[in-house]
C-alpha cells in the first residue's frame, strides 16, 4: 500500500533476475528440486537440495544472484545516461541498491551465506557467534528504521539460534 505501482514494476524484474541467477547456478551444480517462488510484497526465493555440496559451490550459488544483477544494472545505467531515460536510470539504481544490500554479511542475505560458507561453517561457536551478530544487526536495524520485516527476520533467527548451534555441532 505504501509503494507506487511504478516502483513495484521496477522492483519485480530486479527480484526476478536476482533469483534467476541463483536458479541457474543451482541447476548448473545439479541441485535437486530447484524451485523459484515469489512472496507478494515480501520478496522472492529459490530453493533446492544438494547434499554434501562443496563450499565453493555454495559461494557461487550465493553470488549468482547479486553479481549479475549489479552488472546488468551498470549496463542499463550507462544506457540510461547515454539515451537520457530517467526511469531506466532509476531502475538501474534500484537494482544496485537491492543487490548491493543483499551482499551485506548478514546471514539471511547472500553476503551472509558467502561469509558462512567461507569462514564459519566448520566451527560451531564461530557459526553461532556470526548468527548472533546477524540477529543483533537485524534487531538494531529494525529498531532504528522502525521496520517490522527486519524485526521478524531478527526474531525468528534469534529463536532458531539454539537449534542452529546444535546442528552446527553435529555437522
Amino acid at each position: 500500500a505504501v509503494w507506487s505501482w511504478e516502483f513495484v514494476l521496477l522492483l519485480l524484474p530486479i527480484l526476478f533476475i536476482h533469483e534467476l541467477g541463483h536458479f541457474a547456478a543451482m541447476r548448473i551444480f545439479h541441485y535437486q528440486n530447484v524451485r523459484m517462488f515469489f512472496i507478494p510484497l515480501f520478496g522472492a526465493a529459490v530453493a533446492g537440495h544438494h547434499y554434501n555440496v562443496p563450499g565453493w559451490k555454495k559461494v557461487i550459488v550465493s553470488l549468482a544472484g547479486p553479481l549479475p544483477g549489479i552488472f546488468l544494472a551498470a549496463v542499463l545505467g550507462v544506457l540510461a545516461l547515454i539515451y537520457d531515460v530517467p526511469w531506466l536510470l532509476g531502475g538501474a539504481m534500484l537494482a544496485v541498491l537491492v543487490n548491493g544490500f543483499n551482499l551485506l554479511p548478514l546471514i539471511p542475505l547472500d553476503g551472509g551465506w558467502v561469509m558462512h560458507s567461507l569462514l564459519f561453517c566448520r566451527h560451531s561457536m564461530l557459526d553461532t557467534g556470526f548468527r548472533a551478530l546477524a540477529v543483533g544487526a537485524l534487531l538494531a536495524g529494525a529498531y532504528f528504521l522502525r521496520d517490522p520485516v527486519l524485526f521478524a527476520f531478527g526474531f525468528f533467527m534469534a529463536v532458531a539460534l539454539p537449534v542452529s548451534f546444535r546442528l552446527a555441532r553435529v555437522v
Side-chain angles (χ1 to χ4, degrees):
V2 177
W3 297 340
S4 69
W5 65 271
E6 293 95 352
F7 178 79
V8 172
L9 287 178
L10 287 175
L11 186 61
L12 286 177
I14 292 167
L15 292 175
F16 179 74
I17 290 167
H18 177 97
E19 297 304 330
L20 192 61
H22 292 307
F23 183 86
M26 287 178 162
R27 298 292 274 181
I28 289 169
F29 292 131
H30 305 292
Y31 278 58
Q32 303 297 316
N33 299 327
V34 179
R35 291 189 171 85
M36 182 184 340
F37 54 93
F38 282 84
I39 305 166
L41 303 176
F42 191 70
V46 173
H49 299 287
H50 192 297
Y51 302 103
N52 204 16
V53 64
W56 67 271
K57 287 184 180 181
K58 289 180 184 179
V59 168
I60 290 174
V61 167
S62 294
L63 292 176
L67 294 184
I70 291 172
F71 176 76
L72 182 61
V75 170
L76 292 177
V78 168
L79 291 174
L81 289 173
I82 291 171
Y83 294 108
D84 193 28
V85 184
W87 67 267
L88 187 58
L89 183 60
M93 291 179 7
L94 181 62
V96 169
L97 180 70
V98 167
N99 287 296
F101 178 79
N102 210 331
L103 287 173
L104 288 174
L106 300 173
I107 203 88
L109 303 174
D110 292 330
W113 289 114
V114 169
M115 294 290 289
H116 178 265
S117 296
L118 291 176
L119 302 175
F120 304 119
C121 69
R122 302 214 186 271
H123 194 278
S124 59
M125 291 302 288
L126 287 177
D127 178 48
T128 303
F130 181 58
R131 289 174 188 264
L133 286 174
V135 166
L138 287 169
L139 293 177
Y143 177 76
F144 289 116
L145 298 174
R146 309 231 187 281
D147 187 350
V149 174
L150 287 179
F151 177 78
F153 272 124
F155 174 77
F156 288 120
M157 282 188 65
V159 169
L161 271 176
V163 174
S164 66
F165 174 70
R166 284 191 295 261
L167 184 62
R169 285 184 61 201
V170 170
V171 171

